[in-house]
Amino acid sequence: MYKKIKILNKLFPFHFIIDENLQIIKKGPSLKKISNKDKNFISQFRFIRPGIGIEYTFESIKGYINQIFIVELLDNKSVKLKGQFIKSDDNQVLIFCGSPWVTDELQITEMGLTISDFALNDSVVDMIQVLKANKLENEDKLQLMDEIEKQKLFYDQLLDVLPIELFILDKNFKVTYHNISTNAIEKAKSTLFDYLQLKGIIADNLLNTKNQLSEVTKTKSKVSFEELYQNNNIENVSLRYAMPMDFSDAKESILTYSVDITTLKQNRDQIIQKNNELEKINLELDNLIYSITHDFRSPVLSIKGMLNMMASSNLINEEQAQYCKIIKETLQRLDDTIIDVLTYSKNARLNLTFSQINLQPIIENTFDSNKHIVNYPIKLEVNISQICPFESDENRLKTLLSNLISNSIKYSDNTQLNSFIIVNAIIDKQFCNIEVIDNGIGIMPEHHSKVFDIFYRATSKSVGTGLGLFICSEVVKKLGGSISLKSKPYEGTTFFIQIPNQFKS
Amino acid sequence: MTKNFILVDDDPIFNFLTGHTVENSSCSGKIYSFTEAIEALNYIQGLGESYDNKTIVFLDVRMPVISGLDFLELFHKKISKQKQEVFDIYMLTSSLNSEDKEIALSFDCVKDFLSKPLEFAQMEKICGE
């Protein structure tokens, strides 16, 4: 008997044994721990299961011997035991074999028990492990859900802040997602078009939007187009993009978003309008310059003619002839200025026209038509080396060379006996590099940086218009090249020009 | 050889100047001045088909109502081919517009495009031709 009890204690530490009078004659060690010492079964336990039909008699219990019992400890209601009654061999006693009915790990500690109070074979032990694992898993899941919720909030807020209206549509253009904070979308019975109508889209534009979105579904391609809205006489323009949603599992869906471009469009329209106005003004200005130069030249030339006539007649004396000469020179300067202004405006408004250029005759002709400016001889030397044809804008190149060569003549040193001008040109596939070298009066260093400025004249003795080198630098700019100079007073000046060769082999 | 001269310029001073240069040249002939191109054209039309005296026309480019270029077009249209050959037209202008020059020189009757005022040397060259 002692041995049996020991086994019983080991296998069912929560067992108890009752006799025919329902007196508890034996309790397992773990049950002892959580119950009082009352020997009466009725005052200590209550049946939970079976609930109906059972009576608190030895015979009644015996009748339920093959069923699961759940009994509650009356003075410790957190403890419920689950198990079964078995009869002793002699039918004298009933033995309850079971253990606490546990659904939660916490219950065990509440009952004042530890794992060691349970039999090793008790499934409660496993259950507790499972419960523990479940609990951890649940905690992880909660944490994950929390994280997802946070991220969702982040993206929702992000999409809220973005100045775009974003929609995801199903294949019937019903809205399955949108980032708009108004409730217009719910009122609009949920297709995009209903919403756009509420927003005041113009009928034609709505039709276009429908067609464009159908196109996206059909061709699986991205489209973008403008939408015009009208609300209380205020017009708004949106730029809408729509594309098939080929990412995530949203097959057959359309992603579409629109940006309000009203201000951008207004600005652009204003710029276009201003530009048109400016172009018109520019044209008028060009015409004005052209008319003015013509109208200015006409009287200048007629005075010049009259002076020629007067000078060649025998009617005037030497002094008067001298006056005529001075008037003629002054007139010539006025005429030069008029011509320079015209040249400048031509360079600014006429398009570039490229053709093949032969430098040698241009240089020689320019020199020939200017050498009379001074009454002493000047030697011209031209050295051209080229490995391929040279193409550029001929008229502009002539203007450039004419200004530089006539400058070299105008500012030659009349105290020199061997005044010269050397023009060197090296032409390769990329550039034409030209040097115009003279041994004239030179330019003082302080003027070097300013000679290309408009109306800048280095000396009051200068006979120029103050436009020549300015025109040169403008022409070179237009041709995409560069111009610079090196000069020493009383020794001479060298201008360096580099012009891109437009020749394409 | 006698050559006749027709001067067309809206500015009478230029007609006076050019006339003076012609008078002092080695050419001899009659000089007709017009300040309106249409009058000059009417004059040429009135000369009759048999007119065959070599005639030099100095024609300004920029003129009000009918410009020098308009004159060239009308001359080309209204004057018979045979009669056209009697006239050598020289453009005399203060215009710096290279387009004007190109258009003018595209007419067969236009011999040259000269800058005002007409120089004595240029006049002598014309006389020699």
Side-chain angles (χ1 to χ4, degrees):
Chain A
M1 182 67 192
Y2 170 75
K3 216 170 187 177
K4 277 185 186 169
I5 292 295
K6 212 174 168 188
I7 291 166
L8 214 51
N9 280 348
K10 204 138 196 177
L11 290 178
F12 301 105
F14 293 93
H15 78 272
F16 58 87
I17 303 171
I18 46 173
D19 63 13
E20 289 169 39
N21 302 318
L22 298 188
Q23 288 301 304
I24 300 167
I25 52 170
K26 175 83 185 61
K27 276 182 182 171
S30 296
L31 183 59
K32 270 187 192 157
K33 220 172 140 185
I34 55 171
S35 60
N36 61 32
K37 286 182 176 164
D38 195 344
K39 296 277 184 194
N40 193 349
F41 173 79
I42 297 169
S43 63
Q44 209 171 127
F45 290 104
R46 183 172 77 88
F47 293 122
I48 306 277
R49 247 167 81 187
I52 303 157
I54 187 100
E55 286 168 26
Y56 289 86
T57 63
F58 194 77
E59 282 309 310
S60 181
I61 295 168
K62 242 163 81 175
Y64 286 88
I65 215 128
N66 290 321
Q67 291 200 20
I68 292 284
F69 276 80
I70 294 171
V71 294
E72 188 182 67
L73 266 178
L74 285 171
D75 64 344
N76 187 353
K77 295 215 163 129
S78 64
V79 180
K80 293 181 184 70
L81 301 174
K82 186 181 173 194
Q84 69 184 106
F85 284 94
I86 49 171
K87 288 186 289 186
S88 65
D89 298 342
D90 54 2
N91 263 332
Q92 296 294 310
V93 291
L94 284 167
I95 308 162
F96 177 83
C97 297
S99 68
W101 188 39
V102 175
T103 53
D104 189 330
E105 188 203 355
L106 278 178
Q107 274 178 299
I108 294 171
T109 36
E110 272 170 26
M111 286 185 277
L113 293 170
T114 62
I115 292 289
S116 59
D117 294 320
F118 291 82
L120 284 177
N121 69 331
D122 197 326
S123 62
V124 165
V125 177
D126 293 334
M127 198 173 80
I128 284 166
Q129 297 301 332
V130 171
L131 280 173
K132 257 188 184 166
N134 272 349
K135 202 175 151 195
L136 280 174
E137 201 177 322
N138 270 338
E139 271 169 15
D140 281 355
K141 269 186 190 160
L142 279 173
Q143 220 171 352
L144 208 61
M145 291 290 280
D146 201 39
E147 190 57 36
I148 289 170
E149 202 58 38
K150 265 188 210 159
Q151 289 211 5
K152 187 177 174 295
L153 197 67
F154 171 79
Y155 286 113
D156 279 351
Q157 282 174 345
L158 186 70
L159 287 166
D160 262 355
V161 174
L162 286 180
I164 61 166
E165 290 189 351
L166 181 81
F167 292 90
I168 297 170
L169 311 173
D170 68 9
K171 56 184 172 184
N172 300 316
F173 309 116
K174 286 208 166 126
V175 177
T176 57
Y177 173 84
H178 66 85
N179 73 330
I180 314 166
S181 47
T182 69
N183 55 0
I185 202 78
E186 276 75 27
K187 282 184 197 155
K189 290 175 222 142
S190 77
T191 82
L192 175 70
F193 308 127
D194 297 327
Y195 170 68
L196 296 183
Q197 255 174 326
L198 269 183
K199 256 187 85 185
I201 191 170
I202 284 178
D204 287 359
N205 281 250
L206 181 63
L207 196 66
N208 180 50
T209 304
K210 283 182 182 175
N211 291 339
Q212 296 271 11
L213 289 186
S214 303
E215 204 59 28
V216 172
T217 321
K218 246 185 266 167
T219 61
K220 302 277 172 227
S221 58
K222 186 176 178 177
V223 294
S224 67
F225 50 92
E226 285 181 9
E227 285 171 349
L228 197 63
Y229 296 88
Q230 205 161 26
N231 270 315
N232 309 322
N233 288 330
I234 297 167
E235 279 193 355
N236 281 296
V237 189
S238 286
L239 180 61
R240 176 172 299 285
Y241 290 89
M243 64 213 77
M245 236 179 96
D246 45 14
F247 54 93
S248 82
D249 55 354
K251 290 276 181 272
E252 305 241 333
S253 292
I254 295 174
L255 178 72
T256 176
Y257 60 92
S258 64
V259 193
D260 193 312
I261 56 164
T262 310
T263 333
L264 278 177
K265 202 145 165 118
Q266 278 168 353
N267 289 348
R268 198 189 64 175
D269 287 351
Q270 269 178 9
I271 288 170
I272 289 173
Q273 198 198 335
K274 287 221 169 99
N275 200 39
N276 286 342
E277 280 169 22
L278 281 177
E279 266 174 21
K280 198 172 151 247
I281 290 170
N282 246 345
L283 190 72
E284 282 168 3
L285 207 62
D286 288 336
N287 289 336
L288 189 72
I289 287 177
Y290 182 71
S291 302
I292 283 178
T293 50
H294 179 265
D295 292 351
F296 280 4
R297 270 205 100 197
S298 243
V300 168
L301 297 179
S302 92
I303 297 169
K304 218 165 130 186
M306 294 302 291
L307 279 169
N308 280 344
M309 213 171 100
M310 213 158 115
S312 63
S313 74
N314 307 323
L315 301 171
I316 57 169
N317 61 32
E318 209 169 295
E319 201 185 349
Q320 286 165 330
Q322 187 59 31
Y323 296 157
C324 277
K325 198 178 160 243
I326 294 166
I327 296 170
K328 231 181 127 176
E329 281 168 7
T330 314
L331 273 177
Q332 189 57 50
R333 277 181 56 187
L334 177 58
D335 198 24
D336 287 348
T337 307
I338 294 168
I339 292 171
D340 278 354
V341 169
L342 187 74
T343 312
Y344 164 74
S345 96
K346 262 186 184 171
N347 177 56
R349 78 194 160 106
L350 293 184
N351 290 330
L352 291 161
T353 45
F354 296 128
S355 62
Q356 204 158 311
I357 290 169
N358 192 358
L359 278 179
Q360 184 95 23
I362 293 177
I363 295 164
E364 281 167 1
N365 289 342
T366 307
F367 177 77
D368 285 343
S369 57
N370 282 291
K371 63 183 176 193
H372 67 270
I373 297 173
V374 293
N375 53 11
Y376 46 87
I378 294 177
K379 205 179 141 241
L380 174 71
E381 186 186 320
V382 183
N383 307 303
I384 296 170
S385 93
Q386 63 185 111
I387 55 160
C388 64
F390 173 43
E391 272 187 28
S392 188
D393 187 298
E394 183 161 359
N395 281 328
R396 286 186 170 83
L397 206 78
K398 276 180 181 167
T399 303
L400 189 63
L401 287 168
S402 160
N403 272 296
L404 292 178
I405 290 172
S406 68
N407 272 356
S408 284
I409 295 171
K410 272 183 217 161
Y411 304 109
S412 58
D413 187 349
N414 58 6
T415 63
Q416 279 265 4
L417 288 174
N418 60 338
S419 287
F420 64 77
I421 298 170
I422 304 170
V423 183
N424 294 326
I426 300 170
I427 295 162
D428 60 32
K429 279 179 186 161
Q430 256 194 304
F431 296 109
C432 171
N433 285 291
I434 304 174
E435 291 174 339
V436 180
I437 307 161
D438 67 47
N439 61 343
I441 59 172
I443 303 167
M444 300 289 275
E446 61 264 36
H447 302 308
H448 286 192
S449 60
K450 295 177 192 159
V451 289
F452 295 110
D453 293 353
I454 189 166
F455 294 129
Y456 186 79
R457 288 191 287 167
T459 67
S460 54
K461 275 186 274 172
S462 159
V463 292
T465 60
L467 283 167
L469 286 178
F470 170 68
I471 290 171
C472 285
S473 81
E474 290 294 300
V475 164
V476 166
K477 241 187 254 171
K478 194 97 177 179
L479 293 173
S482 61
I483 185 167
S484 59
L485 71 97
K486 194 180 79 184
S487 181
K488 267 193 182 166
Y490 313 112
E491 281 184 24
T493 307
T494 303
F495 279 92
F496 303 93
I497 307 151
Q498 187 177 63
I499 293 163
N501 189 356
Q502 303 296 336
F503 177 73
K504 308 275 184 290
S505 50
Chain B
M1 184 192 169
T2 58
K3 283 176 179 169
N4 286 342
F5 292 88
I6 294 173
L7 318 180
V8 190
D9 198 313
D10 60 310
D11 183 351
I13 298 174
F14 278 114
N15 281 341
F16 170 72
L17 279 168
T18 312
H20 182 83
T21 310
V22 172
E23 275 167 15
N24 286 291
S25 73
S26 54
C27 283
S28 61
K30 288 175 185 159
I31 300 170
Y32 303 91
S33 295
F34 300 94
T35 53
E36 280 182 47
I38 192 72
E39 283 174 19
L41 193 71
N42 287 338
Y43 173 75
I44 292 171
Q45 274 184 305
L47 286 173
E49 278 306 305
S50 58
Y51 180 77
D52 64 351
N53 198 324
K54 193 69 189 168
T55 301
I56 308 290
V57 181
F58 288 112
L59 180 64
D60 185 24
V61 175
R62 302 242 149 194
M63 287 183 286
V65 193
I66 293 179
S67 74
L69 299 180
D70 295 335
F71 176 93
L72 288 176
E73 233 166 84
L74 289 169
F75 179 83
H76 186 71
K77 259 192 225 163
K78 297 199 166 175
I79 308 296
S80 69
K81 194 106 184 136
Q82 192 194 339
K83 196 172 160 187
Q84 276 184 33
E85 304 213 335
V86 181
F87 297 87
D88 284 349
I89 300 178
Y90 289 85
M91 307 306 289
L92 252 191
T93 181
S94 53
S95 165
L96 291 165
N97 193 337
S98 51
E99 263 176 54
D100 288 349
K101 188 174 174 178
E102 263 174 52
I103 295 170
L105 289 177
S106 70
F107 288 90
D108 285 343
C109 53
V110 176
K111 300 300 166 206
D112 207 348
F113 196 92
L114 303 173
S115 185
K116 284 180 184 177
L118 180 64
E119 300 280 338
F120 197 73
Q122 289 171 322
M123 184 60 223
E124 280 305 314
K125 211 181 146 210
I126 292 165
C127 279
E129 275 168 8

